């Protein structure tokens, strides 16, 4: 039995999580990334994940596409930002 619940975080939940994470990582040290270049790939990955969550949330909340369409792994690779944007353009007739 599959008890996994599909969950798309709300925009507010995602924004709060990323704001708290950035505050924790950077604190008052604005040169953190320059002084710790090993962190950059993780930081960039998190930015892409945030963008993915935001596109999915906006698309689903607006009715532009369904949760199943947004989560369809067959249509995308990685975070799938380009594919999600293409799906949105297609649905909008662009």
């Amino acid at each position: 039995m599959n008890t996994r619940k599909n969950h798309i975080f709300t925009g507010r939940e995602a924004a709060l999580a990323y704001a708290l994470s950035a505050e924790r990582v950077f604190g008052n040290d604005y040169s953190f990334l320059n002084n710790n270049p090993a962190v950059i790939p993780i930081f960039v990955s998190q930015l892409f994940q945030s963008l993915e969550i935001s596109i999915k949330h906006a698309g689903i909340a607006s009715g532009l596409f369904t949760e199943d369409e947004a989560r369809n792994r067959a249509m995308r690779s990685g975070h799938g930002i380009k594919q999600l944007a293409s799906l949105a353009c297609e649905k909008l007739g662009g």
Side-chain angles (χ1 to χ4, degrees):
M1 181 172 152
N2 185 357
T3 60
R4 186 180 138 219
K5 178 183 176 189
N6 287 337
H7 180 75
I8 298 288
F9 295 99
T10 66
R12 181 182 175 131
E13 289 170 330
L16 179 60
Y18 283 101
L20 290 171
S21 297
E23 183 180 274
R24 176 73 173 146
V25 168
F26 293 113
N28 290 327
D29 183 7
Y30 300 108
S31 62
F32 181 85
L33 287 177
N34 289 333
N35 295 333
N36 300 282
V39 175
I40 292 173
I42 306 259
F43 186 73
V44 170
S45 178
Q46 293 300 312
L47 290 175
F48 276 108
Q49 184 178 12
S50 178
L51 184 55
E52 174 196 17
I53 290 169
S54 297
I55 293 170
K56 283 181 179 179
H57 176 71
I60 293 167
S62 69
L64 188 58
F65 44 81
T66 66
E67 185 173 337
D68 287 341
E69 289 173 316
R71 290 185 170 273
N72 183 355
R73 296 253 179 226
M75 75 126 184
R76 63 189 183 87
S77 62
H79 289 296
I81 293 169
K82 183 177 179 180
Q83 291 85 351
L84 287 167
S86 293
L87 175 63
C89 285
E90 177 186 315
K91 294 285 187 157
L92 292 169

